[in-house]
Amino acid sequence: MPDTPRDLVARINRLRRERRAVILAHNYQLGEVQDVADFTGDSLDLSRKAAATDAEVIVFCGVHFMAETAKILSPRKTVLLPDPASGCPMADMIDGPALRKLKTEHPGAAVVCYVNSSAEVKAECDVCCTSANADKVVASIPADREVLFVPDKFLGGHVQRKLGRPMTLWPGFCPTHARILPEHVERRRREHPGAVVLAHPECRAEVSAMADAVLSTSGMLRFARESEARVFIVATEVGLLHRLQLDSPAKTFVAATEQAVCPNMKRNTLEKVLWALEELRTPIEVPEDVRARAETSLQRMLDVR
Ligand code: SF4
């Protein structure tokens, strides 16, 4: 007889203890995977929390670049990605050689890379940023220095508008957030008059322009908790609704569109988490020279006040 979800959770819990493992789940993971995790959150926050534990094994329920980020910050821990095929199409829109070519074409420019990028790209940039701190990071660069922003043109465009500072934007984007269209938001507004619209900066500029607030996932959680509003239209990957609802149970959260599903984020299941712990698979490795340079880019971001 196949395992019930309860059996799976019991076996995961036993192995988690035996392996001295910590399970991380990104906010966009399936609800049952979020529920079994030690920590849920955004990728950098999770990697930092895991690095601060004395766990020997990190099971990262997310996509490949996130597990790499955990490895960058915890080189001596074993970092496992339950489904090794879970990549990020946006992170894959630029690689090391492409970024090196861009840098040659823009000598002297500062390179800011969104954490949604490979370790190789992080190693090539000057400073990383998250969707929560991208504006602060860019503002920390002297105004007379050109800025190359990779890989997300929508996040870069949002920062550009906010700071009134032109940048050279790599034409990458998140296909999941790009599925959210202004007509989806308009329809939800008609269905829920007075609802507050929250949009992630990975959304198209037209969608961000319609939002009451443009926020990272952790920013949305905080905003919803602190707001007097009762109903929210959420323009980001639908997995965040699970967290929002747990966090603010008395409020109503509606996806801008149910089509905003990242198929890569949904590849990790309870079974795969169990198999990862049973067989210590799939370990993520980052060459030490790349890891060390990528860590410097992350550290520079953390040093920005
Ligand atoms: S939601 Fe977008 S940015 Fe996040 S992993 Fe999926 S494709 Fe990549």
Side-chain angles (χ1 to χ4, degrees):
M1 213 169 58
D3 284 322
T4 64
R6 234 175 118 160
D7 295 334
L8 286 170
V9 171
R11 289 170 67 191
I12 288 169
N13 286 339
R14 195 170 58 244
L15 272 169
R16 173 182 1 221
R17 281 192 301 277
E18 285 171 20
R19 296 282 195 203
R20 295 176 49 78
V22 66
I23 300 173
L24 312 179
H26 188 270
N27 287 324
Y28 297 161
Q29 290 289 295
L30 293 169
E32 65 261 31
V33 172
Q34 294 192 39
D35 291 343
V36 86
D38 295 283
F39 301 112
T40 53
D42 59 43
S43 63
L44 183 70
D45 188 40
L46 288 173
S47 297
R48 295 183 76 197
K49 280 188 177 140
T53 69
D54 58 3
E56 289 170 12
V57 174
I58 297 171
V59 180
F60 207 126
C61 302
V63 295
H64 190 266
F65 78 78
M66 298 180 178
E68 276 190 337
T69 305
K71 187 70 181 175
I72 291 164
L73 298 185
S74 299
R76 278 181 285 282
K77 292 180 168 53
T78 299
V79 178
L80 305 173
L81 184 62
D83 188 318
S86 41
C88 167
M90 175 164 73
D92 292 343
M93 287 178 190
I94 188 164
D95 59 11
L99 181 49
R100 282 192 287 277
K101 182 167 178 288
L102 183 71
K103 282 162 62 173
T104 319
E105 291 161 0
H106 297 262
V111 183
V112 178
C113 90
Y114 186 24
V115 286
N116 294 25
S117 54
S118 66
E120 192 190 14
V121 166
K122 288 186 180 74
E124 286 294 333
C125 80
D126 293 291
V127 58
C128 291
C129 71
T130 65
S131 54
N133 66 19
D135 51 346
K136 261 202 226 156
V137 168
V138 172
S140 74
I141 297 166
D144 58 354
R145 194 164 173 205
E146 186 190 1
V147 177
L148 311 179
F149 192 95
V150 303
D152 185 4
K153 66 175 178 179
F154 291 129
L155 174 61
H158 173 69
V159 172
Q160 203 166 241
R161 289 188 298 279
K162 208 166 161 185
L163 299 179
R165 177 172 184 170
M167 300 190 287
T168 299
L169 307 179
W170 187 259
F173 63 94
C174 164
T176 299
H177 284 84
R179 296 188 80 164
I180 306 172
L181 301 174
E183 48 265 43
H184 295 136
V185 178
E186 276 160 16
R187 191 184 59 211
R188 289 293 192 237
R189 271 200 164 133
R190 281 196 301 276
E191 292 166 354
H192 302 277
V196 169
V197 177
L198 306 179
H200 193 278
E202 286 175 28
C203 288
R204 295 167 181 275
E206 312 88 271
V207 171
S208 291
M210 298 170 79
D212 295 293
V214 180
L215 297 162
S216 64
T217 53
S218 43
M220 286 187 190
L221 285 159
R222 197 177 326 110
F223 187 100
R225 238 182 347 254
E226 292 170 3
S227 168
E228 305 269 291
R230 311 307 297 167
V231 184
F232 300 84
I233 297 164
V234 184
T236 190
E237 211 276 352
V238 296
L240 187 68
L241 272 79
H242 182 79
R243 255 313 280 293
L244 282 164
Q245 203 63 74
L246 279 178
D247 223 42
S248 302
K251 297 178 180 176
T252 301
F253 300 95
V254 187
T257 167
E258 300 293 344
Q259 291 168 23
V261 178
C262 174
N264 286 287
M265 281 287 186
K266 308 305 182 207
R267 295 184 75 100
N268 296 310
T269 58
L270 284 181
E271 281 90 350
K272 288 179 190 170
V273 174
L274 177 64
W275 300 334
L277 284 164
E278 278 177 344
E279 298 168 25
L280 289 183
R281 74 178 195 206
T282 299
I284 299 300
E285 299 298 342
V286 178
E288 179 52 27
D289 62 318
V290 172
R291 190 206 68 75
R293 286 186 294 134
E295 187 180 24
T296 303
S297 302
L298 285 168
Q299 190 53 52
R300 285 198 193 116
M301 170 186 77
L302 299 174
D303 291 343
V304 171
R305 294 274 163 234

